[in-house]
Each structure stands twice: as structure tokens, then as C-alpha cells.
Amino acid sequence: MKKQDRYRWELLLWLWLAFFFNQADRQIFNVSLPLIKTDLGLTDAQAGLVGSLFALTLGLMIPMAGIAGDLLNRKRIIGFSLLFWSAATLLTGLSNSLLQLIVLRSLAVGGGEAFYAPAANGLISQHHHQTRALAMSIHQTSLYAGVVVSGALGGYIAQQYGWKNAFYLFGGAGVILSAVLFVRLRPTPTLAATISGAEQPAFFKEALLALLRKPAARLLCGAFLTLVVVNVGYTVWTPTFLHEKFGLSVAEAGFTSMFYHHVAAFVGVMGGGWLSDRLAMRSVRYRLVIQSGGLLLGVPFIVGMGQAATPFWTFVCLAGFGFCRGLYEANLYTTLFEVIEPPYRSTAVGLSAMFAYVIAALVPFLLGYLKPTVGLSNGLSSLGLAYLLGGLCVWSTLRWYFQKDRVQQPLTPVSA
């Protein structure tokens, strides 16, 4: 195997671990939420507010992260991002009030995590070409692993040793990993070296136009919004939902709410990535067929997740919802990158994520605010409407806009 070939897979390994902590640190709060509410005396609306402000911070910061990912050294962005959010996670364990949770969890962790995804996905795209969907699918499995492990291990530690210790463990491990990434990742070429300060506003304008002037890009961003709406609502409130509806312990609810869903999502994303790379040899349009099918097929499972009368059928629906989610996420950025020119891809990821997370930030608060009257069962089931709209967005892209909006120039490989 050539040196460059070895490095692109080593790079994927380190990014997989970084993304693991990105998602694990995010999920620890949701798993520990029943204990945090009791310990700090929070209402359902206040607990939902912490999750909403986290998503809002993430959304507002990601555009800056996207621009940085296109203009600056992606190695340093990823390393400092991991260090910052991990340190903030560790310090969240010291929180004793709602205000401290908002500052450390919502603002610091959310702001730090925002800088990871645009740079990481741009870096994967830079080093993987024929294996791009597979590499991005493997990277996406880290999300599932991080959520499942934090749901199981974090829930157990929170229940047995106190919720603060779960934050100490995962935050400390992330700080150590950031030191490893600074050593092992290679510096990357940056556009900042060729674009002057005066030209950078024009670069941002062109990146924004690359996203807005194409109907295909706008519709794919709309589909991503629906995914984020469902994911934010699901991850924040499902552990509490299972704890309260079926009387599961915090550890059991934290594990089961994430395990069945994300194991099935792992199968879906790996199968979807493998299948789409092969079908794309005939036509890249098959990637959108898989994405649209994943969202539309996921609708009845999301509805059933909230309405099932027994834990067994709830877990079946969680798994079905996860598998369909994986089918969509297998091409999450691959299809968007087909209609966005290479210099603007990290910025495009940042802008689309801002749009998605700023709107989705309302969901945890609304579910918490409506919980006493509507109930979490109906609230979670209503998220199925978002998947329906997302599936129609992808189908419309495929039907009318994708072929004419697609970038025709192939991306040349990065030299060793």
C-alpha cells in the first residue's frame, strides 16, 4: 500500500475517534438529564432550554467553522476544537446551577464542537475520492458508537457514581486524544495562503452563492434540516421518555434509547455507503434514491416509537428508525458535494448546518414546554412529519434539479 493510501485510512481512524467524543460528550447530558433535573431542581422547560441553546450555539458558530475549514489549516482546527469542547465537558461536571450549565454545556461545548464537522468532512473529501462515500460512512458510524457508549457507560457512571463523574471521564479522555491528533495529523494546504484578507469577503459571498443559487443544494439543505430536527428532539428527550413511560432506570433508559437505534443505523449507513458507491458507478442519481427512501421509510417507525405500548415494540421502532436514518446519512455530504464546487465545500457544510441547527434549536424546548399537556409520546411521534418533508425534498432534487446543478469537474487527488 502506498504511503498516501496508508495515511488516508490512518486519518480516518483519528477522525473517527475525535467524532466519537464529539457525539459522546454531547449525549452525556441527555442520558444524565433525569438526575441533573433532580439534583439542580430544573423544570422540564429549563432542561429543554439547555438543549435548545446548545443546538442554537452550534448552528450560529458552524458558518464561521465552515469558512475556517476552507481557509485555514484543518489539522489545527480539528485539534483545538477537540481540546476546547473536551475541556468544557470536563468543567460541566462542576456545574451547580442552570446558568453554569448554559455557559459550559450550551455555549462552550456547543461552540467548540461546531468547528469539528466542516473541517473533518472537508479533510475526508480531500483524501478520499473513489472511496468517499465509504469513508464518510465509516466516519458516520462514530456518531452511533459515541452515542451508544455514552448512553451505556455514561448512564451507568451517572447512576452509580453521580452524573458529574461521567462528564469528568469523557471530557478528560478527549483532552488526551487532542494531544495525539496534534502529533499524528498532517498539516493541510489552505486557501488562506492564496487569498488575501481583502479577498476573503468575496470568497464567502461566492461560497454562499454556491449554496443558494442551485435549487438542488437548497433542497438538500432542507432535507438535512429535517434530519437535524428529528435527531435533536430524539436524543435530548428519548432517555427521559423511556425512564418515565416504562419505569426504566436511568442507566437502562440511557442504554436502550440509543443502542437499538444506533446499531441499526450502523448497519444502514455501512450498507447504504457500500451500495451507493457501487450503484454510483452506473449513475450517481442512485445516491439520492437511497437517501429519499431512507427518510420516507423512516416515517412510520418514528410515529410508532412514540405510540408503542410496550418496551419491545418501542425498541423495534427505534431500530427501524435508526436503519432508515443510516441509509440517508450514508450520503449525507456526498450528495451535497456533488452540487457544490470543491473550494466551497466546508463553508457549504457550515452554512447548511447553521440553517438546520438554528431552526432545530427550538425542538427540545418545545417538547419540554408541551410535555405536561401533549406528552412526550405525541411529541416524539410528531417528528415523523419532518422525515416526510425531508424525503420529498430529496425526491424533488432527484426529479427536477440534480442533473443540471451537478458539478461536472472531477476532484483531483491530493499529492502525498
Side-chain angles (χ1 to χ4, degrees), residues 373-387:
T373 54
V374 175
L376 278 178
S377 291
N378 293 328
L380 290 173
S381 290
S382 69
L383 297 176
L385 177 62
Y387 258 38

Side-chain angles (χ1 to χ4, degrees), residues 205-244:
K205 179 182 177 181
E206 287 301 314
L208 181 61
L209 288 175
L211 192 65
L212 294 182
R213 67 188 166 204
K214 295 182 178 180
R218 296 197 300 268
L219 285 167
L220 290 174
C221 288
F224 179 63
L225 164 64
T226 66
L227 174 81
V228 174
V229 163
V230 175
N231 286 353
V232 169
Y234 154 73
T235 54
V236 170
W237 281 112
T238 302
T240 300
F241 166 68
L242 294 178
H243 173 68
E244 294 180 352

